[in-house]
Amino acid sequence: MSSQMGDFTRRDYQDQPNASQTSFWLGIPGMPDKNSWMAFPLGFLYTLTLLGNGTILAVVKVEQSLHEPMYYFLCILALTDVSLSMSTLPSMLSIFWFNSPEIPFDACITQMFFIHGFGVVESGVLVSMAFDRFVAIRDPLRYASILTHGLIGKIGLIVLARAVCVVFPVPFLIKRLPFCHSNVLSHSYCLHQDAMRLACASTRVNSLYGLIVVILTLGLDALIILFSYVLILKTVLGIASRAERLKALNTCLSHICAVLLFYIPLIGATMVHRFGKHLSPVVHMFMANIYLLLPPVLNPIVYSVKTKQIRRRIIQVFQGRKNMA
């Protein structure tokens, strides 16, 4: 890669009209020398994501006691986490392993669609899991009869359809914009808000649509989850036995951790992107990657630690391999 490409500054492209209609440049802007030391940590995180979520899916499939609505939703969450991670994998490999930060414009907006789409799907799955916990605690005797396989399938399709509908206009909104100055993105993958700021025309429609989508999906989902736990807490406080109250709350801890793992990095990345323009590019890159990689890596660990059946099955597998060795 030439030194002109390696500088990663906007100045390099100011005299190239419509440059970003052919390609964008990714990585750590202004610091291409940092790419190499990120390769192995990111590769390790992707490996953990695949192993952890793959283990969850395999254990739920073979363990009959886990064939319950809660664990079906967990499988949907695991599939969403893997899909979200894989959406960023092509650009990550290109930058940090093959030192090739260029990504074609069409490939960028395709990646943008999948990243935002699976982000909305994950938020919807977390809402579904909150509903699952509410039904399990509010009406445990009818839990399995309410959350049937058919209903779970319909919920999954609704969550997916919602994500496709709200994210579908995004690539077209970006494609209509002219790019005549810089095409250097501030992240290692393509995001709508990141590409939008490089346009040399009004982005009011893009900004307004992005704000509406965030409010009606992530914002509304967060409120629904919060309201669900208010109802759950109200139900739990009505249980006479202290031991039963603790047992009921304990079944929600894994989901609460998953919600925090999704929303805290999201809020952190948003704050850094909006108010941290003076911060080092490494900070922006770190927060952006943590936002997308932390939940897929830690969700399987949280559910493995908090779910006795999953933990027991994993231990059995490792003990079996040890005995065979």
Side-chain angles (χ1 to χ4, degrees):
M1 182 169 54
S2 68
S3 59
Q4 183 180 8
M5 293 180 184
D7 286 343
F8 268 27
T9 60
R10 297 186 186 185
R11 185 176 60 255
D12 296 329
Y13 301 97
Q14 286 177 347
D15 299 324
Q16 299 182 22
N18 298 321
S20 57
Q21 297 224 9
T22 58
S23 63
F24 280 117
W25 294 85
L26 305 164
I28 310 177
M31 306 182 72
D33 57 308
K34 301 295 183 183
N35 287 353
S36 58
W37 63 261
M38 284 297 299
F40 287 100
L42 285 173
F44 178 68
L45 290 177
Y46 277 109
T47 302
L48 283 181
T49 296
L50 291 174
L51 288 176
N53 289 285
T55 300
I56 292 292
L57 292 170
V59 169
V60 172
K61 180 180 179 181
V62 301
E63 184 66 48
Q64 291 294 323
S65 64
L66 298 179
H67 291 182
E68 298 179 2
M70 173 184 175
Y71 301 108
Y72 292 139
F73 284 119
L74 176 57
C75 287
I76 297 174
L77 180 65
L79 287 172
T80 305
D81 280 337
V82 170
S83 300
L84 184 59
S85 297
M86 292 302 101
S87 298
T88 64
L89 185 60
S91 60
M92 293 287 195
L93 286 176
S94 177
I95 296 165
F96 298 110
W97 284 88
F98 302 109
N99 203 28
S100 177
E102 185 177 9
I103 181 172
F105 183 76
D106 287 338
C108 184
I109 62 176
T110 300
Q111 184 185 56
M112 186 187 303
F113 172 81
F114 283 109
I115 289 175
H116 289 296
F118 284 120
V120 174
V121 169
E122 177 140 358
S123 181
V125 173
L126 291 173
V127 172
S128 304
M129 297 175 81
F131 174 67
D132 166 80
R133 291 297 82 208
F134 170 71
V135 174
I137 293 174
R138 186 68 176 265
D139 200 352
L141 296 180
R142 298 178 57 220
Y143 173 59
S145 62
I146 293 175
L147 288 171
T148 61
H149 290 179
L151 181 59
I152 293 171
K154 289 176 182 177
I155 290 174
L157 288 176
I158 290 171
V159 168
L160 181 61
R162 182 189 71 156
V164 171
C165 289
V166 300
V167 179
F168 184 75
V170 169
F172 299 99
L173 290 174
I174 284 292
K175 207 159 188 176
R176 73 182 179 86
L177 295 174
F179 296 86
C180 52
H181 297 299
S182 167
N183 62 349
V184 182
L185 298 174
S186 59
H187 297 319
S188 307
Y189 46 82
C190 296
L191 292 177
H192 174 246
Q193 62 268 31
D194 199 15
M196 179 181 67
R197 68 180 178 82
L198 301 180
C200 55
S202 173
T203 59
R204 183 173 298 177
V205 174
N206 294 63
S207 298
L208 181 61
Y209 184 76
L211 179 62
I212 291 172
V213 167
V214 168
I215 292 174
L216 294 182
T217 56
L218 303 182
L220 183 61
D221 289 350
L223 289 177
I224 293 173
I225 292 172
L226 180 61
F227 181 67
S228 298
Y229 273 99
V230 170
L231 296 179
I232 288 172
L233 188 59
K234 182 180 177 181
T235 302
V236 169
L237 292 177
I239 299 175
S241 170
R242 183 174 181 274
E244 289 297 320
R245 288 200 298 269
L246 293 176
K247 183 179 178 180
L249 289 175
N250 189 55
T251 64
C252 299
L253 286 180
S254 298
H255 178 252
I256 292 173
C257 290
V259 170
L260 294 177
L261 285 172
F262 178 77
Y263 280 100
I264 290 177
L266 172 63
I267 294 171
T270 302
M271 292 298 101
V272 168
H273 184 79
R274 183 169 296 274
F275 303 110
K277 293 179 174 59
H278 63 286
L279 297 175
S280 165
V282 176
V283 176
H284 288 266
M285 183 277 303
F286 178 77
M287 287 303 300
N289 290 335
I290 285 295
Y291 154 57
L292 287 183
L293 290 177
L294 192 66
V297 170
L298 293 185
N299 280 338
I301 297 174
V302 168
Y303 276 93
S304 297
V305 170
K306 294 301 298 179
T307 307
K308 183 171 61 176
Q309 296 95 320
I310 294 178
R311 186 172 65 249
R312 185 178 65 240
R313 189 73 186 192
I314 294 174
I315 292 173
Q316 287 175 353
V317 170
F318 280 102
Q319 286 179 341
R321 290 183 178 180
K322 184 177 180 180
N323 293 334
M324 288 176 64

